[in-house]
Amino acid sequence: MHTRTATVVEPVLPEPRGTVSAHVLDVLSGRTEPGGALPPVDGRPLGDEDTSLALYCLYELTYRGFAGVDEDLEWNGGLLKLRSCLEWELLERLREEVPREQPAGPVPDVLRSLVDDAEGRSLSGWCREHGEDHHLVEQAVQRSPYQLKEADPHSWALPRLSGAPKAALAQIQFDEYGEGVQRDVHAELFALHLERMGLDPTYGAYLGHVPGSTLATTNLVSLFGLHRRWRGALVGHLAMFEMASVPVMANLAAALRRLGYDDWTCLFYDVHVVADAEHQTVAAEDLAGGLVRQQPHLAADVVWGARCLAHLEGLVTAKTLEAWERGASSLLAPVEQAPPPGRLEPRGTADDPRRDRSLRR
């Protein structure tokens, strides 16, 4: 199996979905000068198409940027003012819908209870039992905005932590970044997954296809990551992410194999089943628990960050399954799928160095 060639491709600007995203995209494209009156952003629901896309694009200036967009706009005062307004609205909606309370017991135990008591249906479980090829394609497309930057938003916490929780986060992130080997970086493994499914692995390729509810889940972790004020929530988000991951990844790998996809297509999910089985304990005890032992006043934030993740993921699950169960697409626009090279081919061999290294974690 060949190693993917690392080519840096800046994503292209998407089409707007309303007045706020149109304003942002006009500024980024140079059609409008930054500054001046800002469009109203208040009163929008979580996952609103217009404001979710606008905030995602503003955050993206701090990640990879966009093709043809002036890099200095990352710190433009007018865009930062609009970003602040959008962030405030997102926080207001979350505060309305997700209780922020002092945990009733040790934070690791509370986090485990949240994982066990997560409400709503399982999107990955539905895929395992009922998913057809087009459902798994849509699932991959929906995951792409975050998975192609996997671990990056959480890495913002590293300079804001010290001692045991910093070491715990570094341990988790070292695995996420492939233990220093490019081909094992988890974002690279997801790009390989897209390739094997006949999809475009280019960073940002499907931004125009992904609904606002899904973009909101990535905006959430960017919001927590880019603000030191929310370092506790970011830690809780990551802990919840790792602790709930294993059954999700196992379900999606099983769904793909049921549909005839090979081990290479499933490698991204297989690696997470192994890695996150270890990460969930490190994240709960050493990262989240360690942070609260150092800074007890952050306990409510840690648990709130976990609850916010569960809440937004629940909204995505409900919206996606509602579309699928009435025979509709969960995406905003159809995607082209080439003949998938990962389907109905011999599975990867155990002696291949890429497969062997990744699955040993």
Side-chain angles (χ1 to χ4, degrees), residues 50-70:
D50 185 25
T51 53
S52 295
L53 178 64
L55 185 56
Y56 186 95
C57 290
L58 291 172
Y59 281 146
E60 194 57 38
L61 298 177
T62 302
Y63 290 103
R64 307 278 185 94
F66 292 97
V69 173
D70 184 356

Side-chain angles (χ1 to χ4, degrees), residues 58 61-62 70-81 83 156 226:
L58 291 172
L61 298 177
T62 302
D70 184 356
E71 294 185 354
D72 287 335
L73 288 175
E74 176 187 0
W75 295 105
N76 176 266
L79 291 179
L80 288 176
K81 182 178 179 181
R83 194 185 92 176
W156 294 111
L226 290 170

